[in-house]
Amino acid sequence: MNAEIDTDVVIVGAGFAGLYMLHSVRGLGLNARVIEAADDVGGTWYWNRYPGARCDVPSMEYSYGWDDDLQQEWEWTERYATQPEILSYVEHVAERFDLRRDITFETRVVASDFDETTDTWTVSTDAGEGIRCRFVVLATGCLSSANMPDFEGRDDFAGRSFHTGQWPHEMVDFSGRRVVVIGTGSSAIQSIPLIAAEADSVTVMQRTANYAIPAHNKPLDPEEVAEIKADYRNWREKARDSTAAFGGHRPRMDVSAKAVPADERQATFEERWAYGGLGFGGAFNDLMLDQESNVLAADFFRSKVAEIVEDSDLAQKLSPQTILGCKRICVDTDYFATYNRTNVSLVDVSATPIERITATGVVVAGAEYEADDIVYATGFDAMTGTIQRIDITGRNGLSLKDKWSAGPLTYLGLGVEGFPNLFLITGPGSPSVLTNMIASIEQHVEWIRDVIGSMTEKGQSTIEADGDAEARWVEHVNAVAGLTLFNNCSSWYLGANVPGKPRVFMPLPGFPDYKVKCDEVAAAGYEGWVLA
Ligand code: NA7
């Protein structure tokens, strides 16, 4: 079986997933090494330091539930936590569980090769190290490779350029500056109001108008917090019984938007709007299943934009015509109202894309928009981007890049045929980005921990997804996605935001059914996996 190994498990990434995986491996009495590109823990929350960066899942839910003392003692201050608060939480966890001693920072994994003669992986880093181990866990995050559009002349720009997902650690002062923001996704929607409050002018380049529901963020009510903490475990369990593994305490209405009278529907939308946040998508049970129901919600949304934005032409341009929820709905604070400021303007780049960047600005339809700063809020090569940047070679010299050339293939989003002992956390084919990521991470880490524990106990050396099980799973994910409206837009869920990326719907809608399936697979002796 095993040749000499340097460590039992190599974990790639020290965000929420990698840290809990490390803690869990230690709990099995095994060793692990975490390799992390940044100089500290935090993953997504380490990199995304742009102004206004905040989680769109409430803080009481967007936190670990696996240690009762931790969840009792940690005090979140607001309904939605800011990036600095989440980062300090992650740092606290690293400290509290003494995690940093097994993490190698400022180091990237560049390759990982499976050796069939010894059933071991060799993980190679950009520091020239080769680490030999039994298992590799890719805790690389779903939104961790920036998507930087390859605009002509991009490097000619003489001012400052920023990508929201690679924001500097120092405060960026926009006062007195003319800023062009490219993109109107969540990162743009969160940052534009803050940049506009400081800058001389902000020009937003919008390719697709987006849906954003008010956050109505506020300090947490200590009484409400005490009530949750009194029964935190069950409270979290209840949340995890809902489709997206959060918001279970204000469940999705179990009725079609078309089945209720117009005034009742309006009142429901109003109530969800007034409460704020992603729960708006749960106003009725068929918003992501039925196009007509979706239009009813989208019409309501557009009426709100028209109420907020004073200039009716501008309101029209800011009103999305796409399926609501087809791209992840954003959660905002004063986004639309910001367009009432005299220093904010919008350039529609849908029909006339950005032509090029010059030393002094951005050219669209022959006109140059002068800028001192360009903020690229252009998103990520999501879900597969970071994994594909590592040269992963499995059995028979099979490369993961080749295997996934037409789109990712996984079994349960956890493993891939041909790549024994390699696990993905929140990989494509699992609910991942359609859920509260922490809930999905915990479920995956615990599943992986249990199988590694069981294999170690039984002296089994490899586990690998069975090819048929994988094919059936991919079919299942496509079939479930096909029942929804998710295929009807150019979202990063589909890889449509990255030129040349295969267009495949990557996450699986529905956390509770997925979790049951994973539990059943484990209970049936890891059905669909080949253990040797
Ligand atoms: P997103 O949601 O992928 O948004 C990226 C934005 O950038 C989006 O509006 C894109 O327009 C726009 N974009 C991307 N490339 C271009 C080019 N070439 N020209 C013009 N506009 C472009 O990323 P975020 O960082 O905002 O949010 C990611 C997730 O983080 C979010 O869903 C939350 O879950 C948290 P498009 O819509 O593709 O037309």
Side-chain angles (χ1 to χ4, degrees):
M1 184 176 108
N2 284 330
E4 234 169 78
I5 52 169
D6 298 309
T7 187
D8 295 301
V9 187
V10 167
I11 299 163
V12 189
F16 272 97
L19 294 183
Y20 184 33
M21 194 72 239
L22 168 59
H23 180 72
S24 302
V25 170
R26 282 186 187 166
L28 294 171
L30 301 177
N31 300 314
R33 274 270 304 275
V34 180
I35 308 298
E36 167 57 54
D39 66 7
D40 206 349
V41 297
T44 294
W45 301 103
Y46 174 93
W47 296 103
N48 285 270
R49 295 165 185 254
Y50 60 83
R54 230 178 240 287
C55 190
D56 56 8
V57 172
S59 50
M60 293 302 290
E61 304 198 51
Y62 194 85
S63 46
Y64 288 130
W66 47 264
D67 186 273
D68 198 46
D69 290 342
L70 170 67
Q71 68 181 2
Q72 292 298 333
E73 286 163 29
W74 183 265
E75 286 180 21
W76 295 105
T77 61
E78 293 177 89
R79 181 181 186 189
Y80 296 101
T82 59
Q83 175 269 335
E85 191 169 17
I86 299 173
L87 189 58
S88 63
Y89 171 76
V90 184
E91 288 167 354
H92 168 78
V93 171
E95 201 63 37
R96 187 176 180 124
F97 297 95
D98 189 20
L99 298 176
R100 283 194 181 89
R101 72 181 151 87
D102 286 324
I103 307 176
T104 306
F105 292 107
E106 294 181 89
T107 305
R108 257 179 207 284
V109 169
V110 291
S112 193
D113 298 276
F114 187 68
D115 176 354
E116 286 169 78
T117 57
T118 56
D119 290 340
T120 57
W121 283 94
T122 300
V123 176
S124 308
T125 73
D126 61 359
E129 197 184 358
I131 311 162
R132 196 179 244 213
C133 59
R134 289 177 62 204
F135 298 97
V136 175
V137 180
L138 299 175
T140 39
C142 291
L143 298 166
S144 45
S145 283
N147 173 41
M148 195 65 166
D150 197 13
F151 297 125
E152 191 191 323
R154 203 181 69 199
D155 297 336
D156 298 342
F157 185 59
R160 303 180 300 181
S161 297
F162 307 96
H163 188 284
T164 48
Q166 296 172 338
W167 203 261
H169 285 214
E170 312 75 50
M171 270 286 287
V172 177
D173 185 2
F174 286 106
S175 49
R177 315 278 294 180
R178 296 162 304 168
V179 184
V180 166
V181 178
I182 302 175
T184 48
S186 179
S187 305
I189 282 172
Q190 290 186 336
S191 59
I192 286 167
L194 279 90
I195 298 173
E198 206 173 277
D200 220 36
S201 70
V202 174
T203 306
V204 180
M205 308 241 155
Q206 171 184 275
R207 187 164 69 179
T208 314
N210 215 335
Y211 293 94
I213 308 296
H216 300 310
N217 188 39
K218 56 184 178 190
L220 280 170
D221 170 6
E223 267 180 40
E224 199 186 319
V225 171
E227 214 176 287
I228 292 169
K229 286 189 172 179
D231 194 20
Y232 217 159
R233 190 173 291 272
N234 283 323
W235 188 85
R236 285 195 196 270
E237 279 305 312
K238 193 167 170 208
R240 282 157 201 201
D241 284 342
S242 65
T243 311
F246 73 101
H249 311 279
R250 285 187 80 254
R252 176 185 302 257
M253 299 287 284
D254 200 16
V255 60
S256 160
K258 293 189 296 190
V260 297
D263 55 343
E264 196 181 311
R265 186 167 54 236
Q266 180 73 11
T268 302
F269 284 140
E270 288 286 3
E271 188 271 325
R272 293 265 161 168
W273 181 271
Y275 187 82
L278 292 170
F280 183 83
F284 294 99
N285 68 4
D286 60 348
L287 297 186
M288 280 315 291
L289 301 173
D290 184 293
Q291 195 135 359
E292 288 174 28
S293 293
N294 194 283
V295 168
L296 292 169
D299 281 344
F300 172 85
F301 179 85
R302 289 186 278 262
S303 74
K304 287 294 176 192
V305 176
E307 269 173 34
I308 301 167
V309 179
E310 288 156 8
D311 177 325
S312 58
D313 281 349
L314 195 50
Q316 179 65 26
K317 278 191 193 154
L318 286 164
S319 293
Q321 304 303 323
T322 46
I323 300 280
L324 176 140
C326 189
K327 294 184 181 185
R328 188 177 172 112
I329 295 175
C330 304
V331 176
D332 79 293
T333 299
D334 296 336
Y335 173 64
F336 290 109
T338 296
Y339 288 90
N340 295 331
R341 298 176 65 106
T342 51
N343 68 335
V344 178
S345 56
L346 187 77
V347 177
D348 184 344
V349 297
S350 56
T352 49
I354 292 170
E355 257 169 57
R356 68 196 144 86
I357 310 284
T358 64
T360 48
V362 181
V363 179
V364 180
E368 185 183 37
Y369 296 85
E370 289 186 0
D372 302 308
D373 299 320
I374 300 177
V375 174
Y376 292 88
T378 44
F380 302 90
D381 183 351
M383 302 195 71
T384 54
T386 307
I387 297 172
Q388 296 283 51
R389 279 168 179 71
I390 305 171
D391 283 320
I392 301 175
T393 310
R395 269 193 301 108
N396 305 319
L398 178 66
S399 101
L400 190 67
K401 279 186 192 134
D402 287 345
K403 168 135 190 176
W404 283 8
S405 60
L409 305 170
T410 72
Y411 179 41
L412 300 172
L414 279 161
V416 185
E417 186 215 12
F419 299 84
N421 294 3
L422 176 92
F423 294 108
L424 317 170
I425 298 184
T426 63
S430 76
S432 62
V433 290
L434 299 176
T435 68
N436 170 4
M437 285 303 287
I438 310 296
S440 276
I441 284 168
E442 290 186 345
Q443 185 251 336
H444 267 192
V445 167
E446 287 163 14
W447 196 95
I448 296 167
R449 173 200 67 197
D450 291 350
V451 77
I452 292 179
S454 149
M455 288 172 69
T456 307
E457 230 176 76
K458 293 181 181 148
Q460 292 166 324
S461 74
T462 57
I463 178 168
E464 181 182 346
D466 168 72
D468 287 340
E470 181 179 279
R472 280 197 303 274
W473 186 253
V474 171
E475 225 171 84
H476 171 70
V477 175
N478 289 335
V480 174
L483 297 172
T484 70
L485 300 175
F486 279 119
N487 285 318
N488 297 24
C489 66
S490 297
S491 69
W492 55 258
Y493 296 146
L494 280 158
N497 62 328
V498 175
K501 191 166 172 174
R503 198 179 165 108
V504 176
F505 190 76
M506 294 183 281
L508 169 72
F511 183 78
D513 288 350
Y514 171 79
K515 185 180 177 309
V516 167
K517 171 73 182 173
C518 290
D519 291 346
E520 284 172 359
V521 163
Y526 296 100
E527 194 179 27
W529 298 87
V530 181
L531 283 142

